[in-house]
Amino acid sequence: MSILPTLKKSLLAGLTALAVTATASAQDSFKVGFVYVSPIGDAGWTYQHDLARKHLEETFEGLETVYVENVPEGADAQRVIRQLASGGSDLIFTTSFGYMNPTLQVARQFPKVVFEHATGYKRADNVGTYMPRLYEGRYLAGMTAGLMTETNKLGFVGAFPIPEVIRAVNAFTRGARAVNPDVEVSVVWINAWYDPSKARAAAETLMDQGADVLTHHSDSHAVVQAAAERGKYAIAYHSDMAKYGKDYQLTAVVHKWDDYYEQVVREVMDGTWKSGNVWGGIDHGMVDLAPFGKAVPEEVREQVMAAREQIISGELHPFAGPVVDQSGTERVAEGETMSDEDMLKMDYYVEGITSRLPRS
Amino acid sequence: MEIFGFSIVHWLAATLVMGTPLVLAATGEVVVEKAGVLNLGVEGMMLMGAVTGVIVFLGIDSRVVGFVAAAGAGVAMSMLFAVLTQTFRANQVASGLALTIFGVGLSAFVGRPYEGAGIPSLPKVQIPFLSDLPIIGPVLFRQDPMVYVSLGLGLAVVWFMYRTRAGLVVRAVGESPESAHAMGYSVIGIRYAAIAFGGAMAGLGGAYMSLVEPHLWVENLVAGRGWIALALVVFASWRPGRVLLGAYLFGGITRLGYDLQALGAPIPTPLLASLPYLATIVVLVILSRDSVRLRLNRPAGLAKPFFAQA
């Protein structure tokens, strides 16, 4: 348990890379490449993609996968993607926003290879994009928190106030207030995707101010761990973090790529794949809740799971009118539903959030 | 003590915790720079200390040994720098940067099997009577032991530097290595010792993050605090006492920013996020506004290689 396993892994990875180059001409099996922005680790964004990669290997006989982890966004990414494409990959998933331009550039040189880029907005004939409707999971998480809180104060640790995260905060708040109108949500932005120490300090601040259920939109398990240590509830993000949150993790909003990746592989194999953008929610299996923790009583589970079914069937939309913002202005009228376009550029807090949205 | 839901006690208590890694790393670096050496490798040494602390702690289940090993890792890293810059007189800026880059990479590599490993929290001390005092009880007497150790080390350096003969010699080596050499002191030897002390303190600072707060190991856990420690030394005009003040100020204002956000203060978060930097710079610059004294405080021999002349 020291350097050795890692060394062995790196050696193996090196050998695999060599093998990839060696068999470039042999096109007998279907090969799928993955580019990851961070180390796989044991929780988080990349970890979830890697679970789906393993799922593909198990599902399709003879399917080969290759992955490269910890690839910085930028020039390095282009080199890695090109290597995968020239190494015989038939389909390549580039799983971070910053791979957008590198993916497009390589795709131009390899028209026969299919590229799927996560969270981007630029497409080409052989480049499709996909992103998760995270807010659906956040709404259900909010319901769980709203039903479990005793102080009626919830805490949200956010990374950066960009529309994606603001949407998450709003959906969480609307979910909580749908089941408990007295709930208030406080938000602390740490201005970093990844700084466990800051995330923890923000979590401590929220708990000091009375929040008894916390959730986060940042990497690492620092918030879940901090809550569990003080006997407060937490809802994790990205991955199931029950092993850090123990019985205090109520649930987690997780990304699941298994179904979507399987579907894309089938389409590419059949030749039916077409470039497009998929913004998939719970119905696509891209977002879901992790199993409930022990602390969550049966009635709460049933109520949340019922709402989950309603979201899948389209009966319930987290941003169905009336949507009222923090200042009392009605953003969506009763009977209407917010358009995807409006959701994508959301830049205001809904009512029920005590913090102010930073304006630049 | 609460004002509009803002608890001053919670804030002050958290201030000491948030300042601690900076206190350790910056106090170490101020000694290094007082001896006339600029080591920009603090970030790398902190990361190696953090990961070593975790590996040792998980191996033998002792935090004390974990901290000692972390200090040892910091010393080992700093010796690479010392050999390059003191024995071979390589450029200190380049060597320090290289040390940081090396530490960032190596800590990520050896730390990979330990990512996300469970490290239990370190209980706060409970001192009979003192811990139960209102306000100052929770702020001063209900902290984890390392908060006291780091404060003690910080104060010890203040005392050492200005109240002992050895401290005077260290300062002499930084101000005028030729004079110190002429007096018969080994300039290179004393600089080696100062660099080792800086490495040990940076290692402890890193281990404070991995073993105490937030007590977890992930790649690049230190996230830039080594650079903040370096900046603190400059803005504190190389005075160890002001370094202490600056470190706690930085920690306190960071936490204050979160409190204000959670309370819904209408202040933009980018401004709140830059407030610790602004406040620390403003306070320390006002303290050291006297330009003559500032020049006196800056070690005259800083970052200059020493060539012994017979």
Side-chain angles (χ1 to χ4, degrees), chain A residues 1-3 6 39 69 186 188-189 191 194-198 200 205 208-209 225 229 244 354-356 358-359, chain B residues 10 18 109 112-116 209 213-215 218-219 223 225 255 258-259 261-264 266 268-269 273:
Chain A
M1 262 307 273
S2 65
I3 311 179
T6 326
E69 57 183 334
S186 294
V188 173
W189 301 100
N191 284 292
Y194 182 79
D195 189 329
S197 184
K198 281 188 182 168
R200 185 184 174 93
T205 308
D208 284 346
Q209 294 193 7
Q225 182 177 286
E229 274 169 28
Y244 308 108
T354 55
S355 311
R356 304 275 156 202
R359 299 249 169 239
Chain B
H10 283 314
M18 295 197 69
F109 178 66
R112 194 166 277 200
Y114 304 94
E115 287 224 358
M209 296 186 69
E213 185 86 11
H215 67 87
V218 285
E219 193 178 325
R225 281 166 188 78
R255 162 73 195 227
Y258 299 154
D259 272 300
Q261 282 194 54
L263 288 169
T269 46

Side-chain angles (χ1 to χ4, degrees), chain A residues 73-238:
Chain A
E73 299 178 328
D76 260 3
Q78 197 173 325
R79 184 179 53 77
V80 170
I81 299 166
R82 182 176 295 116
Q83 219 170 358
L84 289 177
S86 60
S89 290
D90 305 272
L91 166 63
I92 297 172
F93 291 97
T94 53
T95 63
S96 187
F97 178 77
Y99 298 153
M100 182 160 70
N101 290 327
T103 303
L104 283 155
Q105 269 161 4
V106 178
R108 230 173 287 147
Q109 297 157 356
F110 293 89
K112 285 194 181 133
V113 178
V114 170
F115 295 83
E116 281 270 326
H117 174 233
T119 71
Y121 55 84
K122 290 186 190 167
R123 283 168 287 279
D125 284 346
N126 59 336
V127 182
T129 52
Y130 60 104
M131 61 188 275
R133 284 186 194 268
L134 173 65
Y135 63 89
E136 294 183 352
R138 290 288 188 190
Y139 186 86
L140 298 177
M143 286 180 68
T144 315
L147 291 166
M148 295 297 294
T149 178
E150 278 166 20
T151 60
N152 285 338
K153 277 189 176 178
L154 311 180
F156 198 115
V157 178
F160 286 99
I162 58 170
E164 185 199 351
V165 192
I166 292 171
R167 204 159 56 235
V169 175
N170 283 343
F172 180 78
T173 308
R174 284 178 62 82
R177 287 170 66 92
V179 295
N180 180 352
D182 297 329
V183 160
E184 289 187 330
V185 179
S186 294
V187 188
V188 173
W189 301 100
I190 57 171
N191 284 292
W193 285 115
Y194 182 79
D195 189 329
S197 184
K198 281 188 182 168
R200 185 184 174 93
E204 298 275 0
T205 308
L206 288 162
M207 288 188 284
D208 284 346
Q209 294 193 7
D212 65 347
V213 185
L214 299 186
T215 191
H216 64 106
H217 194 119
S218 60
D219 293 343
S220 99
H221 56 270
V223 172
V224 176
Q225 182 177 286
E229 274 169 28
R230 284 178 55 171
K232 309 286 183 202
Y233 294 130
I235 295 175
Y237 171 52
H238 282 316

Side-chain angles (χ1 to χ4, degrees), chain B residues 160-178:
Chain B
F160 169 83
M161 208 54 100
Y162 296 102
R163 293 282 178 274
T164 68
R165 189 177 172 79
L168 183 67
V169 172
V170 169
R171 283 188 288 147
V173 164
E175 289 301 336
S176 177
E178 291 78 13

Side-chain angles (χ1 to χ4, degrees), chain A residues 26-50:
Chain A
Q27 281 281 347
D28 30 43
S29 73
F30 193 83
K31 197 179 282 177
V32 187
F34 290 83
V35 188
Y36 300 146
V37 71
S38 59
I40 294 169
D42 67 348
W45 172 257
T46 294
Y47 179 76
Q48 297 303 117
H49 287 285
D50 200 59

Side-chain angles (χ1 to χ4, degrees), chain B residues 47-110:
Chain B
L47 278 164
M48 281 309 292
V51 75
T52 307
V54 164
I55 293 172
V56 170
F57 174 72
L58 290 173
I60 59 172
D61 197 32
S62 158
R63 255 199 197 80
V64 174
V65 182
F67 272 109
V68 172
V75 171
M77 288 287 284
S78 73
M79 283 301 105
L80 291 177
F81 172 83
V83 169
L84 285 173
T85 59
Q86 302 308 308
T87 303
F88 297 111
R89 298 189 186 89
N91 180 293
Q92 294 183 8
V93 171
S95 307
L97 287 174
L99 190 67
T100 282
I101 295 168
F102 176 60
V104 169
L106 185 64
S107 63
F109 178 66
V110 299

